[in-house]
Amino acid sequence: MVKNQQMGHATFRVGFVGDEYDEWSVTQNDGFLKQNEATHFIVRFNPYSPGLSHCHLVIETEDFKKTWKVVGSTGEYDF
């Protein structure tokens, strides 16, 4: 969930960066953040091989960029 702290609405785009970005997807990869209203995103992990997967989720507007590290596991490893 992300809130737009700016006046009005902000156009955003969302994506993943990192070596294993293609194992991740996000619903609502672009659109508008409304002022002081939460926007929800659904992140999905679809691994191609067993083990751990790391990348970064990036949500960017003209005024800000937020980045989160995401980690996925097939359950065979501790992280």
Side-chain angles (χ1 to χ4, degrees), residues 3-11 33-36 63-64:
K3 281 190 176 182
N4 177 18
Q5 302 298 325
Q6 309 298 321
M7 299 272 302
H9 69 275
T11 303
L33 297 177
K34 296 179 182 174
Q35 181 182 7
N36 294 320
D63 298 317
F64 70 83

Side-chain angles (χ1 to χ4, degrees), residues 2-68:
V2 174
K3 281 190 176 182
N4 177 18
Q5 302 298 325
Q6 309 298 321
M7 299 272 302
H9 69 275
T11 303
F12 72 87
R13 60 184 179 160
V14 180
F16 293 95
V17 294
D19 293 340
E20 294 142 350
Y21 74 93
D22 56 345
E23 294 185 347
W24 298 86
S25 63
V26 61
T27 354
Q28 196 162 335
N29 55 2
D30 61 8
F32 295 98
L33 297 177
K34 296 179 182 174
Q35 181 182 7
N36 294 320
E37 186 176 308
T39 302
H40 295 269
F41 300 91
I42 298 172
V43 175
R44 289 189 168 85
F45 174 53
N46 186 24
Y48 295 128
S49 59
L52 292 174
S53 174
H54 304 113
C55 71
H56 289 85
L57 170 68
V58 180
I59 300 176
E60 185 175 18
T61 72
E62 185 177 307
D63 298 317
F64 70 83
K65 179 194 284 188
K66 296 189 180 221
T67 306
W68 294 267

